[in-house]
Amino acid sequence: MEQLNMRARLAELMASMECRRVDAEAAHAARLAALPPGTCAVCYGTRRDRESGHPCRVCDPPLVCAAGVPVAFQRSRLSNWETNSTTAAAHAKASAFLAGTRDMFITGAVGSGKTRLACAIANDAAVARLSARFVRVPMVLHQLQPGRSPEEMSALERQLFSQPLLVLDDIGAERDVATDYTRRTLLMIYEERWDRGHRTILTSNKTLSQLAEMQDDDRLVSRLAGRADVVTVTAPDQRLLRRG
């Protein structure tokens, strides 16, 4: 008898739950119908999840970008990198990068969009689940100077050497001829990554020949000339254009 009563109560509970589900779906459909066409069915256009209050997973999906990419470039993708007659060739080479095996050296005038293009490639790599990281060369040279703890140095070296894809931004940013420390450090980083089979993107406002002259040394430039595709960005200074 008791078993029959339990079955009856279970049936009543399931029927009640089904009624609530049908009512909730009807209420949802009615509310959605009252909103403008195209309104998000998850958040009703509020951009917040109705239950958790967190950003809507449809309207504001989690941002995927490469590690270390500056906030200004975290949404940069090759699909939204502005192209025109002067940047089409650079965009085409960048779009073929992930499917290739060579490194890339992006050169162009200050503000032409070199960093944005490099970040777009790295972000696309992150979307494709390839570990990628962005670093500024002047900061790396500063961080690798003696005086840091062995733990800090080991962590930094892992970031520089072990990433499958690394963007070294603004190489050759020094005002004068590079120091011996700068030459040795940059060559060490690039050679170690090459030896491990990892790929590197470098950006600079100097050409390879100008970089060789600045470093007063051909070793790094010779390696780049043989291993990297050179991409020249010829757009005008985008920062000045935005200000205007």
Side-chain angles (χ1 to χ4, degrees):
M1 187 67 174
E2 183 177 351
Q3 188 174 11
L4 291 175
N5 289 337
M6 290 181 63
R7 288 179 178 175
R9 287 197 295 271
L10 180 59
E12 290 176 359
L13 178 61
M14 293 180 66
S16 176
M17 292 176 63
E18 178 64 15
C19 287
R20 287 199 293 270
R21 185 187 66 80
V22 172
D23 290 344
E25 288 184 354
H28 170 66
R31 180 169 181 183
L32 196 59
L35 294 171
T39 300
C40 178
V42 174
C43 68
Y44 300 144
T46 64
R47 306 186 74 86
R48 291 283 171 180
D49 186 275
R50 300 194 303 274
E51 296 180 0
S52 67
H54 295 153
C56 175
R57 64 182 183 276
V58 175
C59 298
D60 290 299
L63 183 62
V64 178
C65 62
V69 167
V71 172
F73 301 135
Q74 288 181 356
R75 296 189 181 277
S76 294
R77 301 286 188 275
L78 288 173
S79 59
N80 61 31
W81 195 69
E82 186 175 346
T83 58
N84 52 45
S85 58
T86 62
T87 60
H91 184 270
K93 286 186 178 180
S95 298
F97 176 82
L98 291 181
T101 58
R102 291 170 60 79
D103 293 333
M104 180 170 285
F105 181 81
I106 304 177
T107 179
V110 173
S112 60
K114 304 181 300 296
T115 298
R116 183 180 294 275
L117 181 59
C119 287
I121 300 172
N123 289 340
D124 279 1
V127 171
R129 300 184 182 278
L130 173 67
S131 181
R133 178 173 291 274
F134 172 96
V135 296
R136 305 271 194 190
V137 169
M139 180 57 70
V140 167
L141 294 174
H142 169 71
Q143 291 174 326
L144 286 175
Q145 288 180 347
R148 295 184 178 273
S149 68
E151 293 77 12
E152 290 177 317
M153 295 296 287
S154 294
L156 183 57
E157 288 174 359
R158 282 197 302 272
Q159 291 180 356
L160 296 173
F161 299 153
S162 301
Q163 290 289 329
L165 175 59
L166 180 70
V167 175
L168 288 171
D169 184 60
D170 214 8
I171 186 173
E174 304 89 340
R175 288 182 177 273
D176 302 310
V177 175
T179 64
D180 184 58
Y181 166 76
T182 297
R183 289 192 294 268
R184 287 187 295 104
T185 302
L186 291 176
L187 182 61
M188 174 195 68
I189 293 172
Y190 187 64
E191 282 291 80
E192 182 66 20
R193 291 186 53 74
W194 177 264
D195 289 344
R196 297 188 184 199
H198 298 323
R199 301 178 72 191
T200 308
I201 299 173
L202 304 94
T203 76
S204 179
N205 62 356
K206 295 177 173 57
T207 64
L208 284 177
S209 59
Q210 289 171 337
L211 185 62
E213 182 179 353
M214 180 181 186
Q215 291 199 332
D216 195 24
D217 190 297
D218 291 336
R219 287 177 297 173
L220 177 59
V221 169
S222 174
R223 287 160 172 80
L224 290 174
R227 301 170 182 170
D229 291 326
V230 177
V231 175
T232 303
V233 182
T234 57
D237 193 323
Q238 301 301 298
R239 301 185 190 95
L240 294 181
L241 289 178
R242 286 193 291 270
R243 285 181 58 186

